Amino acid sequence: MSVLEKHLDEQDLARSLRDDVRVGLTATPKSLPPKWFYDARGSELFEEITRLPEYYPTRTERSILREHAGAIARITEAKTLVELGSGSSEKTRLLLDAMLSRGTLGSFVPLDVSESALSSAVDALGLAYPGLSVTGVVGDFIRHLRRLPDGDGRVVAFLGGTIGNLVPAERSAFLGDLRSVLHPGEWLLLGADLVKDPGTLIPAYDDAAGVTAEFNRNVLRVINRELRADFDPLAFEHVALWDAEREWIEMRLRSLRDQRVHIAELDLDVAFAEGEELRTETSAKFRRAGLAEELAASGFALRHWWSDPQDWFGVALAQAITT
Ligand code: SAH
Ligand code: AVI
């Protein structure tokens, strides 16, 4: 059985997009939150990114899950698997298979802000797992954690390295909120991309085929459509840079000329100087010790850690503890 619950309607989404765009484009330097990449086209582009030769995180995390899904099922004895920022939930099938064959799992609750990605995933999972209750939640993992089903024996998966798309202050608030909705003993399964050679990192965010550049520019197309703006996406160049001090990749859009953009829904004109950059995403890369500390500071104990032979990607299994 599969159903879709909506905690974000069109009006709610439009209001928060308007607020984010007004705040982000009138700030210095200009920035936008990465969640606005993911309309139907953005979600498709992300799936295309996951298949690029340069983009190692998805296939590396998949290999780790393939090897350790049995142990994850055995250790957690999950009754309910919740997945935040679930997208296609494609790798999650490894967990569902292992948890179902262990005989403990009754329901799967994927949550995503992208209704199109979520509804295709929920339909496909309903067909593939007829005995499993699948409830898709259209929502924001920053604002809607309290709306997740209560219960015991829950495992919350946050895969793909999406935790890295939150800046440190957002990350600690998110982990604290997540901890407060879990009961002691429940689990967080967290995928985290690890610090590595910039020669590997940068091409993963600046691929030869230009798919990541299109994904990056997609946020301008979303604003054009939703807020009646007149961005010319091709007047912005895709930039991916490695910030060695903060250990994150930053994606930006660099204006190729002096230009003014009109955003009709906001009655706002925004000037870009030639060379001016708009920050669209940070993608933090982690070290095991640092992540264990961040988890501990929010009331999670790191119980298990799995990585690939090159140490490119880590999967942490952490348990909510009494603080
Ligand atoms: N977990 C999948 C998808 C990662 S892409 C994987 O590992 O491949 C990031 C996903 O998070 C997208 O599907 C996007 O729509 C979703 N997302 C981004 N910000 C979000 C937010 N604030 N709340 C809910 N979902 C969000
Ligand atoms: C979803 N998230 C973990 C991706 C990342 O690697 O930070 C989004 C992405 N941005 C560019 N390519 C992929």
Side-chain angles (χ1 to χ4, degrees), residues 34-36 38 43 46-47 50 58 61 83-92 111-114 117 139-143 158-162 165-166:
K35 77 171 172 199
W36 300 114
Y38 299 95
S43 293
F46 176 74
E47 288 305 312
T50 66
T58 306
E61 186 181 46
E83 182 178 15
L84 304 178
S86 47
S88 67
S89 289
E90 187 267 328
K91 286 169 274 149
T92 317
L111 176 148
D112 204 288
V113 74
S114 172
D140 186 323
F141 53 60
I142 300 294
R143 292 166 52 210
F158 195 25
L159 301 177
T162 305
N165 298 138
L166 304 178

PDB file of all heavy atoms in Angstrom, residues 34-36 38 43 46-47 50 58 61 83-92 111-114 117 139-143 158-162 165-166, ligand 1:
ATOM      1  N   PRO A  34      19.925  25.660  -1.244  1.00  0.00           N
ATOM      2  CA  PRO A  34      19.957  24.634  -2.290  1.00  0.00           C
ATOM      3  C   PRO A  34      18.648  23.871  -2.483  1.00  0.00           C
ATOM      4  O   PRO A  34      18.474  23.226  -3.514  1.00  0.00           O
ATOM      5  CB  PRO A  34      21.079  23.687  -1.837  1.00  0.00           C
ATOM      6  CG  PRO A  34      21.281  23.964  -0.387  1.00  0.00           C
ATOM      7  CD  PRO A  34      20.866  25.376  -0.156  1.00  0.00           C
ATOM      8  N   LYS A  35      17.722  23.967  -1.554  1.00  0.00           N
ATOM      9  CA  LYS A  35      16.504  23.155  -1.742  1.00  0.00           C
ATOM     10  C   LYS A  35      15.703  23.596  -2.973  1.00  0.00           C
ATOM     11  O   LYS A  35      14.904  22.829  -3.501  1.00  0.00           O
ATOM     12  CB  LYS A  35      15.635  23.140  -0.487  1.00  0.00           C
ATOM     13  CG  LYS A  35      14.826  24.356  -0.249  1.00  0.00           C
ATOM     14  CD  LYS A  35      13.852  24.116   0.904  1.00  0.00           C
ATOM     15  CE  LYS A  35      13.193  25.421   1.253  1.00  0.00           C
ATOM     16  NZ  LYS A  35      12.583  25.476   2.550  1.00  0.00           N
ATOM     17  N   TRP A  36      15.954  24.806  -3.478  1.00  0.00           N
ATOM     18  CA  TRP A  36      15.176  25.280  -4.620  1.00  0.00           C
ATOM     19  C   TRP A  36      15.679  24.755  -5.964  1.00  0.00           C
ATOM     20  O   TRP A  36      15.102  25.048  -7.006  1.00  0.00           O
ATOM     21  CB  TRP A  36      15.101  26.818  -4.619  1.00  0.00           C
ATOM     22  CG  TRP A  36      14.451  27.313  -3.366  1.00  0.00           C
ATOM     23  CD1 TRP A  36      15.026  28.052  -2.368  1.00  0.00           C
ATOM     24  CD2 TRP A  36      13.103  27.064  -2.932  1.00  0.00           C
ATOM     25  NE1 TRP A  36      14.140  28.285  -1.346  1.00  0.00           N
ATOM     26  CE2 TRP A  36      12.947  27.690  -1.670  1.00  0.00           C
ATOM     27  CE3 TRP A  36      12.004  26.367  -3.482  1.00  0.00           C
ATOM     28  CZ2 TRP A  36      11.745  27.638  -0.960  1.00  0.00           C
ATOM     29  CZ3 TRP A  36      10.820  26.318  -2.770  1.00  0.00           C
ATOM     30  CH2 TRP A  36      10.698  26.945  -1.529  1.00  0.00           C
ATOM     31  N   TYR A  38      15.337  21.713  -6.675  1.00  0.00           N
ATOM     32  CA  TYR A  38      14.665  20.438  -6.911  1.00  0.00           C
ATOM     33  C   TYR A  38      13.205  20.552  -7.326  1.00  0.00           C
ATOM     34  O   TYR A  38      12.328  20.049  -6.635  1.00  0.00           O
ATOM     35  CB  TYR A  38      14.793  19.549  -5.660  1.00  0.00           C
ATOM     36  CG  TYR A  38      16.233  19.237  -5.308  1.00  0.00           C
ATOM     37  CD1 TYR A  38      16.933  20.003  -4.372  1.00  0.00           C
ATOM     38  CD2 TYR A  38      16.891  18.171  -5.916  1.00  0.00           C
ATOM     39  CE1 TYR A  38      18.254  19.712  -4.047  1.00  0.00           C
ATOM     40  CE2 TYR A  38      18.212  17.875  -5.593  1.00  0.00           C
ATOM     41  CZ  TYR A  38      18.875  18.661  -4.662  1.00  0.00           C
ATOM     42  OH  TYR A  38      20.183  18.365  -4.351  1.00  0.00           O
ATOM     43  N   SER A  43      15.216  17.590 -10.049  1.00  0.00           N
ATOM     44  CA  SER A  43      15.342  16.228  -9.508  1.00  0.00           C
ATOM     45  C   SER A  43      15.848  15.277 -10.592  1.00  0.00           C
ATOM     46  O   SER A  43      16.663  14.394 -10.326  1.00  0.00           O
ATOM     47  CB  SER A  43      13.997  15.738  -8.951  1.00  0.00           C
ATOM     48  OG  SER A  43      13.660  16.512  -7.815  1.00  0.00           O
ATOM     49  N   PHE A  46      19.499  15.936 -11.002  1.00  0.00           N
ATOM     50  CA  PHE A  46      20.274  15.310  -9.923  1.00  0.00           C
ATOM     51  C   PHE A  46      20.462  13.819 -10.202  1.00  0.00           C
ATOM     52  O   PHE A  46      21.566  13.280 -10.040  1.00  0.00           O
ATOM     53  CB  PHE A  46      19.644  15.529  -8.536  1.00  0.00           C
ATOM     54  CG  PHE A  46      20.425  14.779  -7.487  1.00  0.00           C
ATOM     55  CD1 PHE A  46      21.670  15.245  -7.068  1.00  0.00           C
ATOM     56  CD2 PHE A  46      19.969  13.566  -6.989  1.00  0.00           C
ATOM     57  CE1 PHE A  46      22.438  14.518  -6.161  1.00  0.00           C
ATOM     58  CE2 PHE A  46      20.730  12.836  -6.083  1.00  0.00           C
ATOM     59  CZ  PHE A  46      21.969  13.323  -5.662  1.00  0.00           C
ATOM     60  N   GLU A  47      19.410  13.142 -10.647  1.00  0.00           N
ATOM     61  CA  GLU A  47      19.541  11.702 -10.952  1.00  0.00           C
ATOM     62  C   GLU A  47      20.585  11.495 -12.050  1.00  0.00           C
ATOM     63  O   GLU A  47      21.352  10.530 -12.016  1.00  0.00           O
ATOM     64  CB  GLU A  47      18.192  11.111 -11.379  1.00  0.00           C
ATOM     65  CG  GLU A  47      17.204  10.961 -10.239  1.00  0.00           C
ATOM     66  CD  GLU A  47      17.743  10.135  -9.066  1.00  0.00           C
ATOM     67  OE1 GLU A  47      18.297   9.046  -9.289  1.00  0.00           O
ATOM     68  OE2 GLU A  47      17.612  10.607  -7.911  1.00  0.00           O
ATOM     69  N   THR A  50      23.999  11.636 -10.601  1.00  0.00           N
ATOM     70  CA  THR A  50      24.412  10.426  -9.847  1.00  0.00           C
ATOM     71  C   THR A  50      25.001   9.362 -10.775  1.00  0.00           C
ATOM     72  O   THR A  50      25.668   8.454 -10.304  1.00  0.00           O
ATOM     73  CB  THR A  50      23.239   9.797  -9.057  1.00  0.00           C
ATOM     74  OG1 THR A  50      22.264   9.295  -9.992  1.00  0.00           O
ATOM     75  CG2 THR A  50      22.585  10.783  -8.113  1.00  0.00           C
ATOM     76  N   THR A  58      27.375   8.727  -5.083  1.00  0.00           N
ATOM     77  CA  THR A  58      26.232   7.794  -5.113  1.00  0.00           C
ATOM     78  C   THR A  58      26.703   6.352  -5.240  1.00  0.00           C
ATOM     79  O   THR A  58      26.274   5.477  -4.479  1.00  0.00           O
ATOM     80  CB  THR A  58      25.288   8.151  -6.291  1.00  0.00           C
ATOM     81  OG1 THR A  58      24.941   9.530  -6.174  1.00  0.00           O
ATOM     82  CG2 THR A  58      24.029   7.300  -6.272  1.00  0.00           C
ATOM     83  N   GLU A  61      28.504   5.251  -1.946  1.00  0.00           N
ATOM     84  CA  GLU A  61      27.575   4.978  -0.837  1.00  0.00           C
ATOM     85  C   GLU A  61      26.788   3.691  -1.118  1.00  0.00           C
ATOM     86  O   GLU A  61      26.570   2.876  -0.217  1.00  0.00           O
ATOM     87  CB  GLU A  61      26.613   6.149  -0.646  1.00  0.00           C
ATOM     88  CG  GLU A  61      25.720   5.974   0.579  1.00  0.00           C
ATOM     89  CD  GLU A  61      24.746   7.114   0.767  1.00  0.00           C
ATOM     90  OE1 GLU A  61      24.104   7.522  -0.225  1.00  0.00           O
ATOM     91  OE2 GLU A  61      24.592   7.597   1.907  1.00  0.00           O
ATOM     92  N   GLU A  83      13.023   8.072   5.653  1.00  0.00           N
ATOM     93  CA  GLU A  83      14.155   8.597   4.873  1.00  0.00           C
ATOM     94  C   GLU A  83      13.945  10.076   4.577  1.00  0.00           C
ATOM     95  O   GLU A  83      12.920  10.472   4.013  1.00  0.00           O
ATOM     96  CB  GLU A  83      14.333   7.817   3.555  1.00  0.00           C
ATOM     97  CG  GLU A  83      15.548   8.341   2.792  1.00  0.00           C
ATOM     98  CD  GLU A  83      15.857   7.607   1.490  1.00  0.00           C
ATOM     99  OE1 GLU A  83      14.999   6.866   0.981  1.00  0.00           O
ATOM    100  OE2 GLU A  83      16.973   7.813   0.988  1.00  0.00           O
ATOM    101  N   LEU A  84      14.919  10.893   4.959  1.00  0.00           N
ATOM    102  CA  LEU A  84      14.833  12.347   4.738  1.00  0.00           C
ATOM    103  C   LEU A  84      15.551  12.722   3.447  1.00  0.00           C
ATOM    104  O   LEU A  84      16.643  12.214   3.168  1.00  0.00           O
ATOM    105  CB  LEU A  84      15.470  13.082   5.926  1.00  0.00           C
ATOM    106  CG  LEU A  84      14.884  12.740   7.291  1.00  0.00           C
ATOM    107  CD1 LEU A  84      15.633  13.489   8.397  1.00  0.00           C
ATOM    108  CD2 LEU A  84      13.394  13.037   7.356  1.00  0.00           C
ATOM    109  N   GLY A  85      14.959  13.607   2.657  1.00  0.00           N
ATOM    110  CA  GLY A  85      15.559  13.993   1.365  1.00  0.00           C
ATOM    111  C   GLY A  85      15.735  12.757   0.507  1.00  0.00           C
ATOM    112  O   GLY A  85      16.792  12.505  -0.062  1.00  0.00           O
ATOM    113  N   SER A  86      14.636  11.996   0.394  1.00  0.00           N
ATOM    114  CA  SER A  86      14.725  10.629  -0.152  1.00  0.00           C
ATOM    115  C   SER A  86      14.919  10.580  -1.666  1.00  0.00           C
ATOM    116  O   SER A  86      15.443   9.590  -2.183  1.00  0.00           O
ATOM    117  CB  SER A  86      13.451   9.871   0.235  1.00  0.00           C
ATOM    118  OG  SER A  86      12.308  10.667  -0.037  1.00  0.00           O
ATOM    119  N   GLY A  87      14.499  11.613  -2.403  1.00  0.00           N
ATOM    120  CA  GLY A  87      14.663  11.598  -3.866  1.00  0.00           C
ATOM    121  C   GLY A  87      14.060  10.340  -4.467  1.00  0.00           C
ATOM    122  O   GLY A  87      12.907   9.993  -4.207  1.00  0.00           O
ATOM    123  N   SER A  88      14.852   9.617  -5.245  1.00  0.00           N
ATOM    124  CA  SER A  88      14.342   8.402  -5.901  1.00  0.00           C
ATOM    125  C   SER A  88      14.305   7.193  -4.956  1.00  0.00           C
ATOM    126  O   SER A  88      13.731   6.167  -5.308  1.00  0.00           O
ATOM    127  CB  SER A  88      15.223   8.047  -7.101  1.00  0.00           C
ATOM    128  OG  SER A  88      16.506   7.656  -6.628  1.00  0.00           O
ATOM    129  N   SER A  89      14.945   7.298  -3.780  1.00  0.00           N
ATOM    130  CA  SER A  89      15.063   6.171  -2.826  1.00  0.00           C
ATOM    131  C   SER A  89      15.674   4.925  -3.475  1.00  0.00           C
ATOM    132  O   SER A  89      15.431   3.810  -3.031  1.00  0.00           O
ATOM    133  CB  SER A  89      13.712   5.786  -2.200  1.00  0.00           C
ATOM    134  OG  SER A  89      13.288   6.775  -1.309  1.00  0.00           O
ATOM    135  N   GLU A  90      16.483   5.133  -4.485  1.00  0.00           N
ATOM    136  CA  GLU A  90      16.979   3.979  -5.238  1.00  0.00           C
ATOM    137  C   GLU A  90      17.927   3.123  -4.387  1.00  0.00           C
ATOM    138  O   GLU A  90      17.742   1.906  -4.278  1.00  0.00           O
ATOM    139  CB  GLU A  90      17.635   4.498  -6.532  1.00  0.00           C
ATOM    140  CG  GLU A  90      18.066   3.446  -7.510  1.00  0.00           C
ATOM    141  CD  GLU A  90      19.513   3.042  -7.315  1.00  0.00           C
ATOM    142  OE1 GLU A  90      20.341   3.893  -6.909  1.00  0.00           O
ATOM    143  OE2 GLU A  90      19.820   1.860  -7.551  1.00  0.00           O
ATOM    144  N   LYS A  91      18.907   3.769  -3.714  1.00  0.00           N
ATOM    145  CA  LYS A  91      19.849   2.993  -2.869  1.00  0.00           C
ATOM    146  C   LYS A  91      19.151   2.413  -1.653  1.00  0.00           C
ATOM    147  O   LYS A  91      19.598   1.413  -1.088  1.00  0.00           O
ATOM    148  CB  LYS A  91      20.960   3.920  -2.339  1.00  0.00           C
ATOM    149  CG  LYS A  91      21.975   4.313  -3.345  1.00  0.00           C
ATOM    150  CD  LYS A  91      22.850   5.419  -2.780  1.00  0.00           C
ATOM    151  CE  LYS A  91      22.246   6.774  -2.990  1.00  0.00           C
ATOM    152  NZ  LYS A  91      22.533   7.765  -2.002  1.00  0.00           N
ATOM    153  N   THR A  92      18.073   3.071  -1.240  1.00  0.00           N
ATOM    154  CA  THR A  92      17.357   2.660  -0.026  1.00  0.00           C
ATOM    155  C   THR A  92      16.762   1.271  -0.175  1.00  0.00           C
ATOM    156  O   THR A  92      16.485   0.591   0.811  1.00  0.00           O
ATOM    157  CB  THR A  92      16.255   3.703   0.263  1.00  0.00           C
ATOM    158  OG1 THR A  92      16.820   4.992   0.045  1.00  0.00           O
ATOM    159  CG2 THR A  92      15.734   3.603   1.678  1.00  0.00           C
ATOM    160  N   LEU A 111      10.540  11.190   2.961  1.00  0.00           N
ATOM    161  CA  LEU A 111      10.115  12.604   3.011  1.00  0.00           C
ATOM    162  C   LEU A 111      10.994  13.410   2.063  1.00  0.00           C
ATOM    163  O   LEU A 111      12.219  13.297   2.105  1.00  0.00           O
ATOM    164  CB  LEU A 111      10.251  13.131   4.438  1.00  0.00           C
ATOM    165  CG  LEU A 111       9.929  14.631   4.663  1.00  0.00           C
ATOM    166  CD1 LEU A 111       9.329  14.841   6.059  1.00  0.00           C
ATOM    167  CD2 LEU A 111      11.155  15.529   4.515  1.00  0.00           C
ATOM    168  N   ASP A 112      10.363  14.209   1.227  1.00  0.00           N
ATOM    169  CA  ASP A 112      11.138  15.048   0.303  1.00  0.00           C
ATOM    170  C   ASP A 112      10.344  16.296  -0.056  1.00  0.00           C
ATOM    171  O   ASP A 112       9.119  16.279  -0.086  1.00  0.00           O
ATOM    172  CB  ASP A 112      11.479  14.260  -0.976  1.00  0.00           C
ATOM    173  CG  ASP A 112      12.721  14.816  -1.662  1.00  0.00           C
ATOM    174  OD1 ASP A 112      12.637  15.919  -2.249  1.00  0.00           O
ATOM    175  OD2 ASP A 112      13.786  14.162  -1.609  1.00  0.00           O
ATOM    176  N   VAL A 113      11.072  17.365  -0.349  1.00  0.00           N
ATOM    177  CA  VAL A 113      10.434  18.619  -0.754  1.00  0.00           C
ATOM    178  C   VAL A 113       9.987  18.545  -2.221  1.00  0.00           C
ATOM    179  O   VAL A 113       9.136  19.328  -2.654  1.00  0.00           O
ATOM    180  CB  VAL A 113      11.432  19.787  -0.506  1.00  0.00           C
ATOM    181  CG1 VAL A 113      12.553  19.801  -1.542  1.00  0.00           C
ATOM    182  CG2 VAL A 113      10.761  21.120  -0.426  1.00  0.00           C
ATOM    183  N   SER A 114      10.556  17.609  -2.975  1.00  0.00           N
ATOM    184  CA  SER A 114      10.241  17.505  -4.405  1.00  0.00           C
ATOM    185  C   SER A 114       9.100  16.513  -4.607  1.00  0.00           C
ATOM    186  O   SER A 114       9.292  15.298  -4.551  1.00  0.00           O
ATOM    187  CB  SER A 114      11.497  17.049  -5.159  1.00  0.00           C
ATOM    188  OG  SER A 114      11.183  16.775  -6.497  1.00  0.00           O
ATOM    189  N   ALA A 117       9.629  13.912  -7.558  1.00  0.00           N
ATOM    190  CA  ALA A 117      10.560  12.813  -7.286  1.00  0.00           C
ATOM    191  C   ALA A 117       9.930  11.844  -6.296  1.00  0.00           C
ATOM    192  O   ALA A 117      10.001  10.611  -6.454  1.00  0.00           O
ATOM    193  CB  ALA A 117      11.873  13.355  -6.732  1.00  0.00           C
ATOM    194  N   GLY A 139       7.471  17.300   2.268  1.00  0.00           N
ATOM    195  CA  GLY A 139       7.752  18.207   3.373  1.00  0.00           C
ATOM    196  C   GLY A 139       9.195  18.646   3.376  1.00  0.00           C
ATOM    197  O   GLY A 139       9.994  18.234   2.528  1.00  0.00           O
ATOM    198  N   ASP A 140       9.491  19.486   4.358  1.00  0.00           N
ATOM    199  CA  ASP A 140      10.820  20.078   4.489  1.00  0.00           C
ATOM    200  C   ASP A 140      11.465  19.455   5.727  1.00  0.00           C
ATOM    201  O   ASP A 140      10.898  19.528   6.819  1.00  0.00           O
ATOM    202  CB  ASP A 140      10.638  21.599   4.657  1.00  0.00           C
ATOM    203  CG  ASP A 140      11.954  22.356   4.649  1.00  0.00           C
ATOM    204  OD1 ASP A 140      12.941  21.828   5.190  1.00  0.00           O
ATOM    205  OD2 ASP A 140      11.984  23.470   4.114  1.00  0.00           O
ATOM    206  N   PHE A 141      12.652  18.878   5.543  1.00  0.00           N
ATOM    207  CA  PHE A 141      13.258  18.192   6.701  1.00  0.00           C
ATOM    208  C   PHE A 141      13.772  19.180   7.754  1.00  0.00           C
ATOM    209  O   PHE A 141      14.171  18.786   8.839  1.00  0.00           O
ATOM    210  CB  PHE A 141      14.319  17.165   6.294  1.00  0.00           C
ATOM    211  CG  PHE A 141      15.430  17.656   5.387  1.00  0.00           C
ATOM    212  CD1 PHE A 141      16.276  18.675   5.776  1.00  0.00           C
ATOM    213  CD2 PHE A 141      15.646  17.033   4.157  1.00  0.00           C
ATOM    214  CE1 PHE A 141      17.314  19.100   4.953  1.00  0.00           C
ATOM    215  CE2 PHE A 141      16.688  17.456   3.325  1.00  0.00           C
ATOM    216  CZ  PHE A 141      17.512  18.500   3.729  1.00  0.00           C
ATOM    217  N   ILE A 142      13.748  20.465   7.433  1.00  0.00           N
ATOM    218  CA  ILE A 142      14.091  21.457   8.459  1.00  0.00           C
ATOM    219  C   ILE A 142      12.835  21.807   9.278  1.00  0.00           C
ATOM    220  O   ILE A 142      12.904  21.996  10.485  1.00  0.00           O
ATOM    221  CB  ILE A 142      14.648  22.752   7.804  1.00  0.00           C
ATOM    222  CG1 ILE A 142      15.919  22.443   6.995  1.00  0.00           C
ATOM    223  CG2 ILE A 142      14.898  23.859   8.811  1.00  0.00           C
ATOM    224  CD1 ILE A 142      17.107  21.995   7.807  1.00  0.00           C
ATOM    225  N   ARG A 143      11.684  21.850   8.611  1.00  0.00           N
ATOM    226  CA  ARG A 143      10.482  22.363   9.289  1.00  0.00           C
ATOM    227  C   ARG A 143       9.488  21.294   9.726  1.00  0.00           C
ATOM    228  O   ARG A 143       8.635  21.551  10.579  1.00  0.00           O
ATOM    229  CB  ARG A 143       9.751  23.342   8.358  1.00  0.00           C
ATOM    230  CG  ARG A 143      10.543  24.619   8.125  1.00  0.00           C
ATOM    231  CD  ARG A 143       9.981  25.406   6.948  1.00  0.00           C
ATOM    232  NE  ARG A 143       8.563  25.624   7.071  1.00  0.00           N
ATOM    233  CZ  ARG A 143       7.714  25.739   6.039  1.00  0.00           C
ATOM    234  NH1 ARG A 143       8.164  25.650   4.796  1.00  0.00           N
ATOM    235  NH2 ARG A 143       6.437  25.930   6.239  1.00  0.00           N
ATOM    236  N   PHE A 158      19.444   9.338   6.348  1.00  0.00           N
ATOM    237  CA  PHE A 158      19.691  10.626   5.684  1.00  0.00           C
ATOM    238  C   PHE A 158      20.918  10.386   4.813  1.00  0.00           C
ATOM    239  O   PHE A 158      22.059  10.456   5.285  1.00  0.00           O
ATOM    240  CB  PHE A 158      19.927  11.704   6.745  1.00  0.00           C
ATOM    241  CG  PHE A 158      19.852  13.119   6.227  1.00  0.00           C
ATOM    242  CD1 PHE A 158      19.115  13.452   5.099  1.00  0.00           C
ATOM    243  CD2 PHE A 158      20.518  14.148   6.899  1.00  0.00           C
ATOM    244  CE1 PHE A 158      19.036  14.770   4.638  1.00  0.00           C
ATOM    245  CE2 PHE A 158      20.446  15.472   6.453  1.00  0.00           C
ATOM    246  CZ  PHE A 158      19.711  15.768   5.316  1.00  0.00           C
ATOM    247  N   LEU A 159      20.652  10.039   3.571  1.00  0.00           N
ATOM    248  CA  LEU A 159      21.700   9.472   2.721  1.00  0.00           C
ATOM    249  C   LEU A 159      22.216  10.488   1.696  1.00  0.00           C
ATOM    250  O   LEU A 159      21.717  11.606   1.587  1.00  0.00           O
ATOM    251  CB  LEU A 159      21.155   8.226   2.006  1.00  0.00           C
ATOM    252  CG  LEU A 159      20.659   7.109   2.925  1.00  0.00           C
ATOM    253  CD1 LEU A 159      20.076   5.956   2.106  1.00  0.00           C
ATOM    254  CD2 LEU A 159      21.770   6.608   3.842  1.00  0.00           C
ATOM    255  N   GLY A 160      23.211  10.058   0.956  1.00  0.00           N
ATOM    256  CA  GLY A 160      23.668  10.819  -0.198  1.00  0.00           C
ATOM    257  C   GLY A 160      24.665  11.926   0.130  1.00  0.00           C
ATOM    258  O   GLY A 160      25.204  12.556  -0.770  1.00  0.00           O
ATOM    259  N   GLY A 161      24.848  12.201   1.429  1.00  0.00           N
ATOM    260  CA  GLY A 161      25.710  13.325   1.791  1.00  0.00           C
ATOM    261  C   GLY A 161      24.934  14.627   1.882  1.00  0.00           C
ATOM    262  O   GLY A 161      25.538  15.705   1.992  1.00  0.00           O
ATOM    263  N   THR A 162      23.592  14.545   1.874  1.00  0.00           N
ATOM    264  CA  THR A 162      22.766  15.766   1.913  1.00  0.00           C
ATOM    265  C   THR A 162      22.990  16.549   3.211  1.00  0.00           C
ATOM    266  O   THR A 162      22.821  17.771   3.233  1.00  0.00           O
ATOM    267  CB  THR A 162      21.278  15.412   1.688  1.00  0.00           C
ATOM    268  OG1 THR A 162      21.176  14.687   0.453  1.00  0.00           O
ATOM    269  CG2 THR A 162      20.397  16.646   1.598  1.00  0.00           C
ATOM    270  N   ASN A 165      24.877  19.619   2.747  1.00  0.00           N
ATOM    271  CA  ASN A 165      24.277  20.804   2.124  1.00  0.00           C
ATOM    272  C   ASN A 165      23.730  21.777   3.174  1.00  0.00           C
ATOM    273  O   ASN A 165      23.186  22.829   2.833  1.00  0.00           O
ATOM    274  CB  ASN A 165      23.191  20.414   1.113  1.00  0.00           C
ATOM    275  CG  ASN A 165      23.721  19.575  -0.041  1.00  0.00           C
ATOM    276  OD1 ASN A 165      23.092  18.609  -0.449  1.00  0.00           O
ATOM    277  ND2 ASN A 165      24.885  19.911  -0.575  1.00  0.00           N
ATOM    278  N   LEU A 166      23.859  21.381   4.452  1.00  0.00           N
ATOM    279  CA  LEU A 166      23.516  22.310   5.537  1.00  0.00           C
ATOM    280  C   LEU A 166      24.816  22.922   6.048  1.00  0.00           C
ATOM    281  O   LEU A 166      25.803  22.194   6.245  1.00  0.00           O
ATOM    282  CB  LEU A 166      22.818  21.557   6.682  1.00  0.00           C
ATOM    283  CG  LEU A 166      21.564  20.761   6.306  1.00  0.00           C
ATOM    284  CD1 LEU A 166      21.011  20.016   7.528  1.00  0.00           C
ATOM    285  CD2 LEU A 166      20.501  21.691   5.744  1.00  0.00           C
TER     286      LEU A 166
HETATM  287  N1  SAH B   1      18.804  10.797  -0.859  1.00  0.00           N
HETATM  288  C1  SAH B   1      18.916  10.761  -2.308  1.00  0.00           C
HETATM  289  C2  SAH B   1      18.690  12.143  -2.939  1.00  0.00           C
HETATM  290  C3  SAH B   1      19.747  13.175  -2.606  1.00  0.00           C
HETATM  291  S1  SAH B   1      19.461  14.709  -3.479  1.00  0.00           S
HETATM  292  C4  SAH B   1      20.259  10.205  -2.688  1.00  0.00           C
HETATM  293  O1  SAH B   1      21.048   9.882  -1.809  1.00  0.00           O
HETATM  294  O2  SAH B   1      20.510  10.057  -3.885  1.00  0.00           O
HETATM  295  C5  SAH B   1      18.815  15.693  -2.178  1.00  0.00           C
HETATM  296  C6  SAH B   1      17.326  15.430  -1.969  1.00  0.00           C
HETATM  297  O3  SAH B   1      16.918  16.184  -0.838  1.00  0.00           O
HETATM  298  C7  SAH B   1      16.476  15.886  -3.147  1.00  0.00           C
HETATM  299  O4  SAH B   1      15.542  14.891  -3.473  1.00  0.00           O
HETATM  300  C8  SAH B   1      15.787  17.158  -2.633  1.00  0.00           C
HETATM  301  O5  SAH B   1      14.509  17.357  -3.191  1.00  0.00           O
HETATM  302  C9  SAH B   1      15.739  16.898  -1.149  1.00  0.00           C
HETATM  303  N2  SAH B   1      15.763  18.115  -0.322  1.00  0.00           N
HETATM  304  C10 SAH B   1      16.621  19.157  -0.387  1.00  0.00           C
HETATM  305  N3  SAH B   1      16.351  20.053   0.586  1.00  0.00           N
HETATM  306  C11 SAH B   1      15.284  19.560   1.270  1.00  0.00           C
HETATM  307  C12 SAH B   1      14.542  20.011   2.391  1.00  0.00           C
HETATM  308  N4  SAH B   1      14.849  21.169   3.013  1.00  0.00           N
HETATM  309  N5  SAH B   1      13.540  19.242   2.855  1.00  0.00           N
HETATM  310  C13 SAH B   1      13.221  18.063   2.234  1.00  0.00           C
HETATM  311  N6  SAH B   1      13.887  17.583   1.171  1.00  0.00           N
HETATM  312  C14 SAH B   1      14.906  18.320   0.701  1.00  0.00           C
END
